[in-house]
Amino acid sequence: MLNKEIEEWLRLAGGKENVTRIEQSLDSTILILKDRTQMDLSLLASTTVEADVQFTGEQCRLNIKDVSGSIYNTMQELKIGDDVESKLEGSTSTRKKRFSPIRFVSDIFIPLMPVILGAGVFKILLAIIMLIDSLSSESSSLMESQTFMVFRIIGDSAFYLIPILAAVSTARLLKSNVYVAAVLGGLMFHPEVASLFSGEQTVYFLEVQLANQPAFYSAVIWVILAVCAAAYLERGIKRLHLKGIPDIVAPFLTLIILVPVMLLVLGTVGEWIESRLPEFMDTMVADHPILAVILMGAFSLLLTMTGALYMLLPTLINELVTNGSSVILGGMLVAVVAQAGASLALGLRSRDASFRKLAFWASGTALLGISQPAFYAVNMRRKSSFYAAILGGAAGGLYLGLLSVQAFILVGGLSLLELPMFVEEGSLNLLHAIVGVVIAFTVSCVLTYILYGKKEKNTPLY
């Protein structure tokens, strides 16, 4: 039974038969209508019906405010637009829209953007305060106070809990049990996990050696895959139609089967990466430093998504201890800046007001160290920006590698605020670092703007 609000929106749209398809934007649900003349525009005078009607040529779009995504999920469950869309596809083309894993990850992060951007702005303000304090001639006790520590914890909370947030969002997208998903996402937050994976001892599970890096298991991509597996397991159990079996069966089987399998698979893969990636990067830095910086500029955020970047910390520390400086950090910085450039170009190109706003915010926060919105919610939605950001980071890394740009401090975050880590007395190291950053931003921005052609531009973004 449709609730009253959805019923009224469908009346405004001219009935559910008049809905070609539904799409989800950052903060709204969009109904694409077949025949604009079927709309009941008199309902817009009602105080209970709030929607924005947009006409683009022959197409009519009905935008409904839907920050939480509940309207979109309800209409998806009711399969509104499915029958009409399939008929239209059948009459024009026999090809179905291909599933895109990259876009799927982006869809997961779209509902999380308000809280991540909010926390990101908060973290940026704290970083600016810390920068001003460090440049001040008078020492301040503010940075060492417990009050400031609490504020830092508040700013970090959303990013610390991203595995759980991503798990819940994935479950909502797949219409599976969100509470089981939260358990999967929060598995590595158990208090005993930190001591178990501290590196002081080798960890074995069912006689299989596991990687000593809890952040690897809670990386976004593995959490999403685990929740997808849990969703399919849950659906398989429901298809059995076993009467008299309580609802705890699916969660029970998920925890007793899926979690051990996940630990065994990820533990084995992680242990292999942990034993080889630092050695590979050490060799690259020693023998092919230019190529090492290019690779970091292009792929460091992808390594972050898989949790493998945390395994490069020994390489970074070894660089700084042995040489007093690091070339890898410069590559990681231009990778973040390249995401900002691609996001800005998408914002300039897009005709969707809500997405344009998101893209501009994401670009600004990426330059100041918060790259998740630009990477997950903006650039992953388009091939043009996704690949352009990789090429932009590689271009910036190439310049930094050729000029042997060094970073002298291991910083907690990578942003324009951390450029002082390249300061070296009596050299142009900082200037070259700035040029590399500009190159990464410009290349990714220009490439995205060019590659985002007319055909792709006129395609609905969501």
Side-chain angles (χ1 to χ4, degrees):
M1 186 70 180
L2 293 177
N3 63 44
K4 185 177 179 181
E5 288 183 337
I6 292 182
E7 206 169 41
E8 288 182 335
W9 278 314
L10 289 178
R11 282 176 55 202
L12 172 62
K16 63 180 182 179
E17 297 81 7
N18 196 39
V19 180
T20 300
R21 67 178 182 271
I22 60 173
E23 299 171 351
Q24 187 179 29
S25 179
L26 174 65
D27 56 1
S28 61
T29 290
I30 304 169
L31 306 184
I32 310 299
L33 307 186
K34 181 181 180 182
D35 185 0
R36 65 170 72 178
T37 62
Q38 300 296 320
M39 294 179 64
D40 186 359
L41 295 176
S42 63
L43 287 173
L44 290 177
S46 171
T47 56
T48 59
V49 178
E50 296 182 6
D52 178 26
V53 181
Q54 298 178 351
F55 297 101
T56 306
E58 294 298 321
Q59 190 183 71
C60 180
R61 298 161 63 89
L62 188 63
N63 290 9
I64 304 168
K65 196 74 172 178
D66 184 23
V67 177
S68 66
S70 58
I71 299 171
Y72 177 80
N73 291 332
T74 302
M75 289 189 174
Q76 284 275 35
E77 291 172 2
L78 294 168
K79 297 183 178 180
I80 294 172
D82 286 358
D83 295 336
V84 178
E85 185 176 12
S86 63
K87 290 178 183 177
L88 291 174
E89 288 176 351
S91 63
T92 57
S93 174
T94 58
R95 293 187 304 170
K96 292 183 178 180
K97 187 178 180 180
R98 290 187 300 175
F99 171 76
S100 170
I102 294 177
R103 188 182 177 89
F104 178 72
V105 173
S106 181
D107 287 338
I108 289 168
F109 273 85
I110 282 291
L112 307 181
M113 283 305 102
V115 66
I116 290 179
L117 282 171
V121 172
F122 191 78
K123 279 175 63 69
I124 290 168
L125 290 176
L126 294 179
I128 292 173
I129 292 174
M130 292 178 64
L131 179 63
I132 294 174
D133 183 78
S134 65
L135 297 176
S136 175
S137 57
E138 299 181 3
S139 60
S140 172
S141 61
L142 174 63
M143 301 299 104
E144 306 298 328
S145 68
Q146 293 180 338
T147 299
F148 194 80
M149 182 184 298
V150 171
F151 278 125
R152 281 198 297 107
I153 292 172
I154 294 172
D156 290 334
S157 59
F159 301 93
Y160 183 74
L161 296 174
I162 276 181
I164 298 177
L165 297 175
V168 171
S169 183
T170 304
R172 287 189 60 191
L173 196 61
L174 297 175
K175 302 178 179 63
S176 63
N177 193 317
V178 296
Y179 306 108
V180 172
V183 172
L184 294 175
L187 187 65
M188 290 295 121
F189 292 96
H190 193 283
E192 294 185 15
V193 169
S195 59
L196 183 64
F197 290 94
S198 61
E200 297 179 359
Q201 58 181 334
T202 304
V203 181
Y204 290 90
F205 177 68
L206 297 178
E207 304 303 321
V208 175
Q209 184 176 342
L210 305 182
N212 275 312
Q213 183 56 262
F216 175 77
Y217 301 94
S218 58
V220 166
I221 190 64
W222 310 133
V223 170
I224 291 174
L225 289 175
V227 175
C228 289
Y232 282 108
L233 178 61
E234 180 183 335
R235 291 175 185 174
I237 294 172
K238 288 182 178 180
R239 288 194 192 102
L240 297 176
H241 300 292
L242 300 175
K243 296 182 179 179
I245 297 181
D247 292 336
I248 65 170
V249 172
F252 168 75
L253 290 178
T254 298
L255 296 176
I256 200 172
I257 297 175
L258 187 59
V259 174
V261 169
M262 180 182 72
L263 286 175
L264 289 173
V265 173
L266 292 182
T268 304
V269 173
E271 195 277 329
W272 185 86
I273 295 174
E274 190 176 37
S275 63
R276 287 165 175 77
L277 183 60
E279 182 181 349
F280 169 77
M281 190 54 66
D282 282 336
T283 303
M284 292 295 295
V285 170
D287 300 336
H288 310 284
I290 297 176
L291 183 57
V293 183
I294 293 174
L295 291 175
M296 293 305 298
F299 302 115
S300 61
L301 285 180
L302 293 176
L303 291 176
T304 302
M305 186 172 71
T306 61
L309 191 66
Y310 298 102
M311 298 175 181
L312 287 180
L313 283 176
T315 300
L316 286 171
I317 295 173
N318 180 63
E319 256 199 303
L320 288 168
V321 171
T322 305
N323 306 323
S325 61
S326 170
V327 296
I328 295 178
L329 283 171
M332 295 168 64
L333 174 60
V334 294
V336 172
V337 172
Q339 295 294 326
S343 180
L344 176 64
L346 276 187
L348 294 173
R349 278 290 205 177
S350 176
R351 293 178 179 177
D352 186 296
S354 61
F355 179 77
R356 195 162 54 242
K357 180 171 58 178
L358 168 63
F360 289 146
W361 270 101
S363 179
T365 55
L367 289 174
L368 296 175
I370 310 301
S371 60
Q372 289 89 344
F375 182 55
Y376 290 110
V378 178
N379 294 330
M380 273 193 171
R381 301 197 71 76
R382 288 296 184 189
K383 291 180 181 179
S384 56
S385 58
F386 183 76
Y387 294 123
I390 291 176
L391 292 174
L398 175 62
Y399 181 85
L400 296 183
L402 289 172
L403 274 296
S404 299
V405 177
Q406 307 282 333
F408 300 95
I409 303 172
L410 182 60
V411 295
L414 293 166
S415 71
L416 297 185
L417 297 176
E418 306 298 340
L419 281 174
M421 69 180 177
F422 295 101
V423 172
E424 182 182 28
E425 189 175 352
S427 79
L428 298 176
N429 191 72
L430 175 60
L431 177 62
H432 291 312
I434 294 173
V435 173
V437 164
V438 172
I439 289 174
F441 184 88
T442 304
V443 170
S444 62
C445 185
V446 172
L447 279 178
T448 301
Y449 198 89
I450 294 173
L451 294 174
Y452 191 68
K454 291 183 178 180
K455 182 178 179 181
E456 190 172 17
K457 183 179 178 181
N458 293 330
T459 303
L461 191 62
Y462 292 96

